[in-house]
Amino acid sequence: MVMNMYSKSSDTSQTRALLLERLNFRYPNNTTEVEEDNTIIVRLPSATVDTEFVISLYEDYGIVECNGLDNESMGLVRELQVEVDDIYLHYV
């Protein structure tokens, strides 16, 4: 995977761009960006029900939420939150 060059920045647009790049690589065709409020939506098929994950990006942190409460969706919330936390740790 070839990543664009990113540096430390508190610019939420850079955070969003880096996260979208990672998510589009990991989950192609399942990621939607909502420009107005720095939100990214990831829709993933599940064994039980399709799950929508909402990632809200703020200046100092990001939060992952979902509409599913089964073990599979909660595991994916943790995976996505690790990605978000990694970006904030290394690039924000």
Side-chain angles (χ1 to χ4, degrees):
M1 173 168 79
V2 176
M3 302 289 287
N4 289 327
M5 294 300 296
Y6 294 95
S7 59
K8 285 258 188 191
S9 170
S10 61
D11 181 12
T12 312
S13 62
Q14 175 179 290
T15 305
R16 184 176 57 244
L18 178 55
L19 185 58
L20 279 170
E21 190 172 327
R22 287 186 181 190
L23 293 175
N24 284 326
F25 178 78
R26 236 174 132 177
Y27 309 106
N29 305 315
N30 291 315
T31 304
T32 306
E33 181 179 11
V34 180
E35 285 275 342
E36 309 83 58
D37 58 2
N38 291 325
T39 299
I40 298 172
I41 298 172
V42 182
R43 289 182 183 88
L44 298 175
S46 168
T48 55
V49 64
D50 289 356
T51 307
E52 181 176 276
F53 298 87
V54 178
I55 304 170
S56 302
L57 303 175
Y58 301 98
E59 194 171 306
D60 297 330
Y61 63 96
I63 297 175
V64 180
E65 301 172 285
C66 78
N67 65 343
L69 296 175
D70 61 356
N71 287 338
E72 182 181 15
S73 60
M74 295 312 291
L76 287 169
V77 165
R78 284 188 289 276
E79 283 180 31
L80 290 169
Q81 189 67 57
V82 165
E83 288 286 340
V84 171
D85 291 345
D86 183 64
I87 289 170
Y88 276 91
L89 179 65
H90 293 99
Y91 297 99
V92 178

